[in-house]
Amino acid sequence: MNPTCLGPIGDHLWQSTLFAGAAGLLTLTLRTNRARVRYWLWLTASCKFLVPLSLLVALGGQIAWRTAPPKVRPESSMAMEKVSQPFTASALPVLSPPSPPVARPSLPTLLAVIWACGFAGLALSWWIRWRRIFATVRRARPVPLALPIPVRSSATLGEPGVFGIFRPVLWLPDGIFERLTPAQLQAVIAHELCHFRYRDNLTAAIQMSVETVFWFHPLVWWIGKRMVAARERACDEEVLRLGSARQVYAEGILNVCKLYVESPLVCVPGATGANLKRRIEAILAERPVLRVNLAKRVMLGAAAVAAVALPIAIGVIHEPMIRAQSQAGSDWQAAAGGKMAFEVASVKLDNGPFRPPNFPLDNGNAFTPGDRFSADFPLLTYIQFAYKFHFSRQQRESMMEHSHLPKWFGSDRYAIEAKAASRATKDQMRLMMESLLAERFHLAVHFETQDTPVMALMLAKPGKTGPKLRPHSEGPACEDPAVPAPRRAAADAAGPFPERCYVQELSMNGHHLHAGSRNTTMDQLAEALSGLGRLDRPVVDQTGLSGGIDYEMQWMQEPNPTAPGEPATPSEPEPTFLQALREQLGLKLEPARAALRVLVIDHIERPSEN
């Protein structure tokens, strides 16, 4: 059980706490209005603990196909994200340990055991009290009173109360007819009938359920006390509205308090609940109870709509992107033919000089169909190639620093020589590499879709690209012969750069960088920009441009502040990366958030050589 599973639970508790805080603010604005309105606000805040916002988000996802949302969300939404989901792990690769050395209880397991003990103890306490009251009411004698619910009486010291949720009964102690005046008794019974009409037993039982499940959260107990106070005040207001004298009603409640024991359960409401002193003061005071005016009704309606509509809107925005990425992640595998493997393969640990691969192991399509695979890279490169996935710099650094991966994962380099049974495409080579990694390295992975900070790639000017970004159809065709390197490297070169199509090519001369590609896509350009600009976030295309493109850009790379001793950039009038992006390609980068597929490594083992 991974501790990251506590993130959604923490988010739910935090969201429910914020929701209760908002409900509390609304009750303050309604403190001069009917107490029943405040009671329903507190009940709504309590029920929020039982309803995760993720359910409403999922509901929004079911109708998301009717919309065409953007791929990314503006940076302004990040503040709301941090406030509403402070405990959810960031969208970085989640890596499980290869094999736990010692089986010991994890923190989530320990917390689950503690929660279960508290839940069982509290539920048992409620049940014992309920059974005692049930037994008392069952032994009680019927009392012939002309009331809308049955009345029973028995010789106990408990206060009058309404027992039962679906078939409620008014229970009265023996002798109450002699100990209270008729007017006082009539007022007390009117109070109990208010509980019956308002179905306070049912709503109190719901609150008890919340307290049982979330017994560890002090806010649910505080909400329960506010609910009891508002409930009793609402019944007091109704009794006075029906004509009972204030002095007589207050004396009747005080006499019940002196003579009888308060009800042991909030779902068996009596007449003496809440803060008795404040109740008596409120009963005797002749403060008017105001009706909820139009402005406050609009405020309550807007709050209710926002509470439901905002999570649904999040689902409408997020779900299409999640579905699209999930579909895109599997389409290429199905088109390539599904699961397949190399005919023969050799995997050896290599500490010698680096040998370039026989074709680029990137996400592009540059590849001459053949049956041989030859490469010499760290394992991470093979994983990216096999699953057509690109780790951003931040993801790679976080993976190596904070994961449970073995040390050799980042340090060892493996030479892999393999042969397919017949000529294969590049995507088929990926599928074969997936099988090889699973067989020889016992690699197990899965994908998750997570919301993460990104840089959105946009047009600097709507509808217009820069001079060095153009549709591939307007440039040299891929069938053109390769341009000799000396001519291509000249400052006034007329030939295409780079020579081959589908490849993201980069040349460096000190801090001078020259990058480009022919017949690539905006998605592949966005992926390349993350590394070219040494950005901490992945880049997501939001330009709206489609089809093949050719691009070329030159800039002066700024020194890497994390690399001590790197020489300072000479003072030359060359653009920075962001300047070149805007001036040469007509593009810009803006902070945003997007739902991205994240590769999760579940298991990895060092292979045996052969």
Side-chain angles (χ1 to χ4, degrees):
M1 191 174 184
N2 196 311
T4 56
C5 68
L6 297 177
I9 298 175
D11 286 339
H12 169 63
L13 294 176
W14 177 247
Q15 292 160 2
S16 301
T17 301
L18 292 179
F19 190 92
L25 292 176
L26 289 175
T27 61
L28 290 178
T29 65
L30 299 168
R31 57 185 178 275
T32 59
N33 300 104
R34 295 179 58 199
R36 180 55 52 176
V37 179
R38 298 193 297 275
Y39 179 78
W40 279 101
L41 283 174
W42 287 124
L43 178 62
T44 303
S46 179
C47 291
K48 168 62 190 72
F49 281 88
L50 300 176
V51 183
L53 287 182
S54 57
L55 295 180
L56 295 178
V57 173
L59 176 62
Q62 297 302 314
I63 60 176
W65 59 271
R66 299 177 181 271
T67 67
K71 290 184 179 180
V72 299
R73 294 185 293 136
E75 182 77 1
S76 57
S77 67
M78 295 177 62
M80 179 180 295
E81 190 78 18
K82 292 179 180 178
V83 170
S84 62
Q85 297 182 347
F87 299 98
T88 301
S90 61
L92 295 175
V94 181
L95 302 145
S96 304
S99 54
V102 180
R104 56 184 180 184
S106 63
L107 176 61
T109 302
L110 180 61
L111 294 178
V113 171
I114 296 174
W115 172 84
C117 292
F119 174 85
L122 191 57
L124 180 62
S125 174
W126 293 144
W127 183 80
I128 291 174
R129 298 184 203 179
W130 179 270
R131 292 294 299 175
R132 287 176 180 173
I133 299 175
F134 176 78
T136 299
V137 174
R138 190 173 183 180
R139 292 193 301 266
R141 303 178 304 276
V143 177
L145 292 179
L147 297 177
I149 59 174
V151 183
R152 292 179 174 272
S153 177
S154 64
T156 64
L157 296 179
E159 67 172 329
V162 177
F163 176 82
I165 296 176
F166 302 105
R167 289 183 293 180
V169 174
L170 174 60
W171 177 82
L172 299 173
D174 287 347
I176 193 171
F177 295 93
E178 293 77 22
R179 295 180 178 181
L180 299 182
T181 67
Q184 292 174 353
L185 181 61
Q186 182 181 7
V188 170
I189 291 178
H191 179 98
E192 297 305 323
L193 291 179
C194 287
H195 288 308
F196 162 70
R197 288 195 297 270
Y198 291 147
R199 296 196 176 274
D200 286 339
N201 295 44
L202 175 61
T203 55
I206 294 174
Q207 171 60 18
M208 288 174 59
S209 301
V210 176
E211 292 175 353
T212 305
V213 175
F214 298 95
W215 59 266
F216 54 88
H217 200 315
L219 183 61
V220 300
W221 298 97
W222 186 81
I223 290 176
K225 292 184 179 299
R226 303 280 69 75
M227 287 180 61
V228 171
R231 179 186 73 184
E232 298 304 322
R233 180 58 188 152
C235 290
D236 293 341
E237 292 172 354
E238 182 65 11
V239 171
L240 296 175
R241 190 188 68 83
L242 293 175
S244 294
R246 294 178 181 273
Q247 187 71 27
V248 172
Y249 181 43
E251 291 175 352
I253 292 177
L254 289 174
N255 287 334
V256 170
C257 183
K258 294 176 183 177
L259 298 172
Y260 303 105
V261 179
E262 184 179 354
S263 172
L265 285 175
V266 294
C267 64
V268 184
T272 63
N275 187 305
L276 191 59
K277 180 181 178 181
R278 292 183 180 178
R279 282 185 60 195
I280 297 300
E281 291 175 349
I283 291 172
L284 296 178
E286 296 186 3
R287 290 191 296 266
V289 178
L290 304 178
R291 297 181 64 85
V292 181
N293 58 30
L294 179 60
K296 291 183 178 180
R297 290 181 183 179
V298 171
M299 176 187 66
L300 290 174
V305 171
V308 176
L310 286 180
I312 293 179
I314 292 174
V316 170
I317 293 173
H318 282 198
E319 188 64 19
M321 182 63 183
I322 293 174
R323 291 180 180 174
Q325 289 210 9
S326 178
Q327 183 68 24
S330 58
D331 281 351
W332 72 266
Q333 293 172 318
K339 186 178 179 65
M340 55 185 62
F342 290 112
E343 186 177 44
V344 293
S346 170
V347 178
K348 294 182 179 180
L349 183 64
D350 190 357
N351 296 320
F354 171 75
R355 293 175 296 156
N358 64 324
F359 62 86
L361 302 190
D362 58 7
N363 290 351
N365 299 321
F367 179 70
T368 301
D371 61 357
R372 191 173 66 88
F373 180 94
S374 176
D376 178 16
F377 285 107
L379 185 56
L380 181 62
T381 301
Y382 294 122
I383 294 175
Q384 291 186 129
F385 169 72
Y387 291 95
K388 213 169 186 177
F389 180 84
H390 175 73
F391 289 101
S392 68
R393 182 169 67 90
Q394 184 186 26
Q395 290 172 330
R396 290 195 301 270
E397 292 176 354
S398 177
M399 176 171 55
M400 301 311 301
E401 292 177 6
H402 306 296
S403 70
H404 297 283
L405 284 173
K407 293 182 179 180
W408 59 265
F409 180 87
S411 59
D412 289 359
R413 202 173 78 239
Y414 287 91
I416 297 181
E417 300 285 343
K419 185 178 182 304
S422 60
R423 291 167 62 87
T425 65
K426 192 170 184 177
D427 281 347
Q428 289 173 337
M429 285 287 185
R430 299 183 200 278
L431 296 175
M432 296 179 194
M433 180 55 65
E434 287 184 20
S435 299
L436 176 65
L437 293 174
E439 178 184 353
R440 302 296 298 276
F441 292 86
H442 300 284
L443 176 68
V445 304
H446 72 275
F447 280 93
E448 293 180 357
T449 302
Q450 300 177 357
D451 196 54
T452 183
V454 299
M455 298 300 293
L457 181 64
M458 302 179 177
L459 291 173
K461 296 181 179 180
K464 183 178 181 181
T465 62
K468 294 189 177 182
L469 172 63
R470 59 185 179 182
H472 174 66
S473 58
E474 298 179 5
C478 289
E479 292 75 19
D480 285 357
V483 180
R487 178 186 173 192
R488 177 167 53 84
D492 57 348
F497 174 84
E499 298 181 37
R500 294 180 296 167
C501 290
Y502 315 114
V503 177
Q504 303 291 335
E505 192 162 309
L506 173 68
S507 65
M508 301 179 63
N509 181 13
H511 288 278
H512 299 269
L513 281 79
H514 188 189
S517 183
R518 296 171 55 215
N519 202 13
T520 188
T521 65
M522 289 303 302
D523 282 333
Q524 291 169 343
L525 170 58
E527 183 179 286
L529 290 178
S530 179
L532 294 176
R534 299 193 292 190
L535 306 176
D536 288 335
R537 300 182 180 187
V539 178
V540 177
D541 174 39
Q542 190 68 6
T543 61
L545 302 178
S546 60
I549 61 167
D550 294 351
Y551 80 90
E552 180 180 1
M553 61 183 296
Q554 302 181 58
W555 73 100
M556 176 70 73
Q557 184 75 283
E558 297 178 359
N560 188 346
T562 62
E566 186 173 354
T569 304
S571 177
E572 294 187 17
E574 287 199 29
T576 64
F577 172 75
L578 293 179
Q579 290 172 340
L581 189 66
R582 178 180 287 269
E583 296 169 1
Q584 300 171 20
L585 304 188
L587 305 175
K588 64 178 181 178
L589 294 171
E590 291 187 357
R593 295 188 72 89
L596 299 182
R597 296 175 74 243
V598 178
L599 180 67
V600 180
I601 300 178
D602 300 308
H603 188 79
I604 190 71
E605 293 180 12
R606 175 174 271 168
S608 57
E609 295 188 5
N610 67 352

